[in-house]
C-alpha cells in the first residue's frame, strides 16, 4: 500500500447510464476535478457489462456470450472484440477530457472471485467450481490488468492510477452461497486463506499504486480485505451494521481509506449534503475516532454504480457527492 498518495474527496463507482462515451467522460471529469474515473456504460449491451468488459481484458483466455451468460471459449470471437472495442472508445474519450490532468485517476475491473463466480466453464458451471480454473483466471486477470494499467498510463501520463477491483460476489464466495447452474445447489465455500492469497496476488499487480476493492453487497469482509494490502475499501454505507464497527475502526487506524457510498444509486430525492454524511459522522463518534481524520480517511461516492439511474439523476448524484465531501471537510464534527 502506498500511504503518500491521497485519494480525492469524492468520486464515482464506475457505471453510468447511456451509450455515449464522450458524454460520460465529460460528466465524470467535469464532476470530479480531483478524482475522476474511467466510465463504464453497460447499457450498450454484452461486452460493456461488468463481467464482459473484464473478460475482454483477460490474457490467453477468451469468453463468449451464451444464453446463460459469459462462458470461457477457445479463441477470441466477436464478443471479445466488441468488449475490447468499447473499452478502447472509453479510453479515447477519457484521454480527450484529461489532457494535462495530474492527480488520482481510477480505473475499474471485476476482481478474481466475482469473475470466477460470473464466468462459466465449457460445462456450464461457474469457474468457481474448479480450483485450477480459478487459479488460471486470476493469473490471466493479473496479466490483463498489468497491460490495461500501462495503456491508461500511456494515455494519461500525468495521472496517478488507482485500481478498483469490483467484488460484489466476494461474501457469497466465502459463504458458499453462489448457485450452481441448476440453481438447486450452491458451490462450496472457498477457503478464506485461498481467497485472501489470490486477492493479494491480483492487488500486487498495481505495484506501488493504490488498489480499492468495491462491494455494494452486505457484510463486506473488511478485515480480510485489509490483510490483502488494499489502500481502500468501497461499500454501500446504508448496509453497514454495528457488527462492522470493530473491523472498520481497525481498518481506519491501520491507514485503510474508506470509500463511503452515501448517495443513492437510483433516482430519488437527495437530502441536503450535510444530511448525506450525517451517518459517517455518527459512525466516527461511535468508534471514538478523531473528527479531523475524517477528510483524510473518507472519500464520498454513490452507494453503487449508476447504470440504473437516469442521466439527469447521475449528474445530480455526482454533484451531490462533491458537495457532501465538502461538508465533511468543512465541518467534521
Amino acid at each position: 500500500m502506498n500511504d503518500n498518495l491521497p485519494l480525492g474527496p469524492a468520486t464515482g463507482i464506475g457505471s453510468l447510464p447511456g451509450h455515449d462515451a464522450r458524454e460520460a467522460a465529460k460528466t465524470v471529469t467535469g464532476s470530479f476535478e480531483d478524482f475522476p474515473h474511467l466510465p463504464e456504460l453497460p447499457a450498450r449491451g454484452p461486452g460493456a457489462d461488468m463481467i464482459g468488459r473484464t473478460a475482454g481484458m483477460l490474457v490467453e483466455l477468451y469468453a463468449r456470450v451464451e444464453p446463460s451468460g459469459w462462458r470461457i471459449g477457445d479463441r477470441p470471437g466477436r464478443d471479445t472484440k466488441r468488449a475490447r472495442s468499447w473499452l478502447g472508445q472509453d479510453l479515447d474519450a477519457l484521454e480527450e477530457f484529461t489532457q494535462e490532468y495530474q492527480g488520482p485517476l481510477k480505473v475499474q475491473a471485476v476482481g478474481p472471485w466475482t469473475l470466477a463466480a460470473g464466468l462459466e466453464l465449457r460445462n456450464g458451471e461457474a469457474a468457481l467450481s474448479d480450483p485450477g480454473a480459478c487459479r488460471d483466471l486470476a493469473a490471466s486477470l493479473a496479466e490483463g490488468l498489468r497491460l490495461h494499467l500501462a495503456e491508461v498510463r500511456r494515455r494519461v501520463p500525468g495521472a496517478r492510477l488507482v485500481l478498483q477491483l469490483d467484488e460484489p460476489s466476494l461474501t457469497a464466495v466465502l459463504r458458499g452461497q453462489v448457485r450452481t447452474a441448476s440453481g438447486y445447489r450452491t458451490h462450496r465455500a472457498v477457503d478464506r486463506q485461498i481467497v485472501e492469497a489470490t486477492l493479494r496476488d491480483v492487488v500486487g499487480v498495481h505495484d506501488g499504486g493504490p488498489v480499492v476493492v468495491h462491494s455494494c453487497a452486505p457484510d463486506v469482509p473488511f478485515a480480510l480485505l485489509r490483510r490483502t494490502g488494499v489502500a481502500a475499501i468501497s461499500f454501500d454505507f446504508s448496509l453497514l451494521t454495528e457488527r462492522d464497527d470493530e473491523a472498520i475502526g481497525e481498518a481506519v487506524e491501520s491507514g485503510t481509506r474508506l470509500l463511503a457510498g452515501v448517495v443513492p444509486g437510483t433516482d430519488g430525492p437527495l437530502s441536503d449534503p450535510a444530511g448525506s454524511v450525517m451517518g459517517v459522522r455518527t459512525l466516527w463518534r461511535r468508534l471514538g475516532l478523531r473528527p479531523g481524520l475524517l477528510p483524510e480517511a473518507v472519500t464520498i461516492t454513490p452507494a453503487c454504480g449508476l447504470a440504473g439511474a437516469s442521466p439527469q439523476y447521475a449528474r445530480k448524484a455526482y454533484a451531490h457527492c462533491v458537495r457532501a465531501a465538502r461538508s465533511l471537510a468543512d465541518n467534521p464534527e
Side-chain angles (χ1 to χ4, degrees):
M1 177 177 140
N2 186 337
D3 291 314
N4 60 12
L5 197 149
L7 305 186
T11 193
I13 296 299
S15 67
L16 284 168
H19 297 76
D20 187 332
R22 287 188 78 254
E23 189 57 40
K26 191 173 160 188
T27 296
V28 167
T29 54
S31 304
F32 301 118
E33 293 172 6
D34 302 320
F35 193 8
H37 66 87
L38 178 63
E40 301 164 2
L41 301 172
R44 292 181 294 198
D49 60 299
M50 192 170 86
I51 296 291
R53 186 178 178 88
T54 299
M57 294 182 195
L58 297 175
V59 172
E60 290 178 11
L61 272 182
Y62 310 102
R64 62 177 189 271
V65 181
E66 297 285 337
S68 53
W70 283 90
R71 184 171 295 182
I72 292 172
D74 298 320
R75 56 187 169 274
R78 63 168 190 228
D79 298 322
T80 300
K81 291 188 181 114
R82 192 189 299 127
R84 289 176 178 172
S85 166
W86 273 326
L87 179 59
Q89 286 175 30
D90 294 340
L91 288 170
D92 288 345
L94 184 75
E95 184 178 357
E96 180 185 342
F97 287 99
T98 48
Q99 297 293 317
E100 313 300 319
Y101 176 72
Q102 296 193 324
L105 168 67
K106 182 164 70 68
V107 297
Q108 307 82 215
V110 175
W113 293 108
T114 296
L115 202 57
L119 266 181
E120 298 173 0
L121 299 172
R122 290 172 181 79
N123 64 5
E125 283 299 349
L128 190 65
S129 62
D130 179 337
C134 289
R135 282 193 296 275
D136 291 347
L137 197 54
S140 173
L141 174 65
E143 193 50 44
L145 288 174
R146 201 173 278 120
L147 294 171
H148 179 52
L149 289 164
E151 171 70 3
V152 183
R153 221 173 264 123
R154 187 181 67 71
R155 288 168 173 265
V156 194
R160 299 191 305 269
L161 296 188
V162 178
L163 172 63
Q164 175 179 304
L165 298 173
D166 292 318
E167 282 284 14
S169 303
L170 183 59
T171 302
V173 166
L174 288 164
R175 291 184 176 174
Q177 293 169 339
V178 176
R179 295 210 163 275
T180 56
S182 69
Y184 295 122
R185 293 184 305 111
T186 54
H187 295 288
R188 66 168 59 133
V190 181
D191 181 275
R192 293 182 83 84
Q193 286 178 310
I194 292 172
V195 170
E196 190 179 317
T198 301
L199 272 168
R200 192 180 296 114
D201 287 346
V202 178
V203 166
V205 163
H206 192 20
D207 189 25
V211 178
V212 180
V213 170
H214 164 71
S215 170
C216 40
D219 298 321
V220 174
F222 286 96
L224 181 149
L225 290 174
R226 188 164 59 84
R227 290 195 300 273
T228 66
V230 296
I233 300 170
S234 168
F235 55 94
D236 179 344
F237 194 84
S238 70
L239 298 179
L240 288 186
T241 68
E242 295 203 10
R243 280 201 315 270
D244 297 306
D245 277 11
E246 190 179 338
I248 288 178
E250 285 172 359
V252 172
E253 284 174 347
S254 73
T256 307
R257 194 174 179 93
L258 307 179
L259 272 66
V262 299
V263 177
T266 48
D267 292 43
L270 292 168
S271 72
D272 67 300
S276 293
V277 289
M278 196 160 66
V280 181
R281 290 193 183 99
T282 305
L283 170 70
W284 229 244
R285 279 198 293 275
R286 209 164 64 223
L287 295 176
L289 293 165
R290 190 166 54 78
L293 187 63
L294 261 173
E296 293 169 36
V298 176
T299 293
I300 298 299
T301 71
C304 213
L306 296 177
S310 67
Q312 296 82 351
Y313 176 81
R315 283 192 291 272
K316 273 199 316 211
Y318 274 7
H320 193 84
C321 287
V322 172
R323 285 198 295 271
R326 200 170 296 137
S327 160
L328 206 55
D330 291 347
N331 184 14
E333 303 284 347

